[in-house]
Amino acid sequence: MPASTTTAPVVLTAKALLLDMDGTIVNSDAVVERCWRDWALSHGLDPEAALKVVHGRQGYATMAVLLPDRPMEINHAENAVMLARETADTDGVVPVAGAPAFMAAITALPHALVTSADAALATARMTAAALPMPAIRVTAESVQASKPDPEGFLKGAAALGVDPADCIVFEDSAAGIAAGRAAGMRVIGVGPRAAAHAPTTHVPDLTTLTVTTAKDGSIQLTVGAAA
């Protein structure tokens, strides 16, 4: 199904929400671009090409795509260094527009964070953006495979006790959207990167979403017209 930027209100119903972090509720693009541009240049790679790959994936998986002939143990070692640098650098980390109100609206509803960041990086960025950390979270340490593999989203659904078909994923990247779809979930694409990758529907940010609860306890998301 091709992505469609919403022009009229659409209502989606779910039993649980699974939230990516970077680019979806937290805008960390400034840090990501600083760190990965430096890494790409240090390896003789085109930084712009690298930035087309990095979003949504764990660092070692990005490195494997960009340097396919390199031993994976080197990727894991360099990823540890990258994670430490990204965790220490929160300059420019802010909430995505509408994220504070959205997170407040879902605080008592079933939801989980499913991020390619590790726990330390997730904590640093959620704290820098002044957003509440969900009680249930699936971080890099929780999975064996990076997005676009669906493992993280399936683990999030299992932790919430909800069938994958009853979950809605919020994602911004090609890898994340592919992971949500592979998990059998509907995907709301958030932001400029998402529209081209066939989410169920697309929003420019989180300001066009209204969250309500139906009589049967299900979550209703009204995706309103973009301004």
Side-chain angles (χ1 to χ4, degrees):
M1 178 186 298
S4 58
T5 300
T6 313
T7 56
V10 173
V11 178
L12 300 175
T13 302
K15 293 182 179 177
L17 308 178
L18 301 178
L19 316 176
D20 173 55
M21 182 181 69
D22 293 304
T24 301
I25 57 175
V26 173
N27 183 345
S28 56
D29 282 1
V31 179
V32 171
E33 292 190 6
R34 277 196 297 273
C35 293
W36 282 95
R37 282 182 187 279
D38 287 351
W39 181 88
L41 289 169
S42 72
H43 290 80
L45 300 173
D46 177 6
E48 297 306 321
L51 291 175
K52 292 179 180 178
V53 177
V54 64
H55 295 290
R57 290 181 171 85
Q58 292 190 42
Y60 76 86
T62 295
M63 295 171 187
V65 171
L66 294 170
L67 297 171
D69 298 325
R70 193 168 75 159
M72 189 59 78
E73 58 265 28
I74 297 178
N75 295 336
H76 282 287
E78 286 194 6
N79 186 43
V81 174
M82 179 68 77
L83 283 169
R85 178 180 174 184
E86 289 190 274
T87 301
D89 184 356
T90 56
D91 186 25
V93 175
V94 296
V96 166
F102 174 72
M103 295 300 289
I106 68 170
T107 185
L109 302 176
H111 68 284
L113 189 74
V114 181
T115 175
S116 292
D118 65 3
L121 180 57
T123 298
R125 287 187 175 164
M126 292 291 282
T127 300
L131 294 175
M133 177 68 81
I136 296 176
R137 46 199 177 266
V138 179
T139 58
E141 301 95 332
S142 310
V143 297
Q144 297 298 312
S146 172
K147 299 171 186 176
D149 191 281
E151 181 186 2
F153 287 124
L154 292 172
K155 284 195 168 184
L160 291 167
V162 176
D163 188 274
D166 291 324
C167 295
I168 290 178
V169 166
F170 285 76
E171 265 287 0
D172 73 301
S173 70
I177 291 168
R181 294 180 67 194
M185 302 173 182
R186 291 157 292 160
V187 181
I188 294 179
V190 180
R193 282 187 292 269
H197 302 294
T200 306
T201 191
H202 173 257
V203 292
D205 54 39
L206 298 172
T207 62
T208 61
L209 289 166
T210 302
V211 182
T212 56
T213 305
K215 291 181 180 180
D216 65 359
S218 62
I219 303 166
Q220 288 191 339
L221 298 170
T222 302
V223 183

